[in-house]
Amino acid sequence: EAVSRAVSGSQCEAVTVVGSAGVGKSRLVSEVIADLNERMPDVRVYRGAARSDTGVHGAITRILRARFNLQEGTDEHTQANEVCAQVMDLFGDRRVDEILHFLGGFLGFRAGQTVLVDAFRDDPRAFQHVARVVLRRLFEVDAQRAPLVLVFEDIHLANVEGLRMLAELTGSFHGSPITVLCTARPELLARMHDFCAHPAGRHRRIE
């Protein structure tokens, strides 16, 4: 239902499934994905899990690597070229080097050095802010081609900063059919009780 609303309204919808360990959250997600593949074949699903060491950042990395179809073991230069080609396909020639550089922070490689990028070298907070804006815009532009479902599993493993980043990202999507599906153990709500408040009125929690 959330995916259908996202597609029909060209907006972001979110669902967070909360349950104890072993109750079947991952199985539920797999069944939902299989159902979507059958009912809505145009919808693309990318899946990543948070971990205790990398939190939400690690989930974003896995989602992006799946989106760009980056193969494990491929050298960094080849991966950067592949991402560059796909980013150019999405954005044209509009500041591709800058976009590539900020995405590289999530993908784990350095690329796209420019004068503008150099200006952020000594200001990590500004870099992180711009990187999140670039990430948001990437998903929005991509979803305008075909609807996206972004799956973030085990987000209870993320710290509060990571959870706030994910909540802000989800709440900032606009004008594109994007569904954010999260799974977590109940401790998520103790760590960030208002996580499901974003986007306002379009985030459903399922116990």
Side-chain angles (χ1 to χ4, degrees):
E1 292 175 356
V3 174
S4 295
R5 287 194 300 270
V7 172
S8 63
S10 195
Q11 62 189 15
C12 178
E13 296 281 339
V15 177
T16 295
V17 179
V18 179
S20 302
V23 75
K25 298 184 296 297
S26 294
R27 172 67 183 274
L28 177 62
V29 170
S30 295
E31 294 289 347
V32 167
I33 293 173
D35 194 41
L36 283 172
N37 288 337
E38 181 177 340
R39 296 189 184 199
M40 306 175 72
D42 291 339
V43 173
R44 294 169 296 155
V45 182
Y46 300 110
R47 190 173 183 175
R51 295 178 180 171
S52 56
D53 55 341
T54 58
V56 168
H57 192 284
I60 292 173
T61 297
R62 282 179 279 281
I63 286 172
L64 287 176
R65 291 186 67 84
R67 163 58 185 84
F68 291 117
N69 195 28
L70 301 181
Q71 303 299 319
E72 294 295 336
T74 307
D75 66 88
E76 184 176 306
H77 180 71
T78 301
Q79 292 187 25
N81 285 341
E82 178 61 30
V83 174
C84 182
Q86 295 190 48
V87 168
M88 286 187 68
D89 182 54
L90 284 171
F91 291 94
D93 292 328
R94 293 171 293 170
R95 297 200 175 278
V96 170
D97 285 338
E98 282 87 356
I99 294 171
L100 189 63
H101 179 79
F102 290 110
L103 287 180
F106 293 105
L107 290 166
F109 57 72
R110 293 174 59 88
Q113 291 299 120
T114 68
V115 174
L116 178 61
V117 165
D118 288 341
F120 289 92
R121 182 171 298 169
D122 298 324
D123 193 344
R125 289 179 64 87
F127 178 92
Q128 291 174 7
H129 173 73
V130 175
R132 293 172 186 178
V133 172
V134 168
L135 182 69
R136 172 182 62 80
R137 192 60 188 146
L138 170 76
F139 286 134
E140 288 176 341
V141 172
D142 199 22
Q144 288 167 7
R145 294 190 168 191
L148 291 177
V149 175
L150 307 178
V151 181
F152 293 85
E153 297 190 78
D154 297 331
I155 61 171
H156 59 276
L157 295 175
N159 58 28
V160 174
E161 181 182 355
L163 291 173
R164 293 203 180 281
M165 180 186 75
L166 180 55
E168 290 171 4
L169 179 67
T170 303
S172 66
F173 288 135
H174 64 277
S176 298
I178 300 173
T179 306
V180 178
L181 172 57
C182 301
T183 69
R185 296 180 188 174
E187 47 261 44
L188 163 71
L189 302 176
R191 188 164 297 174
M192 185 178 174
H193 67 90
D194 61 344
F195 176 79
C196 296
H198 312 276
R202 288 182 277 118
H203 193 150
R204 181 181 179 185
R205 189 177 89 205
I206 298 176
E207 299 286 348

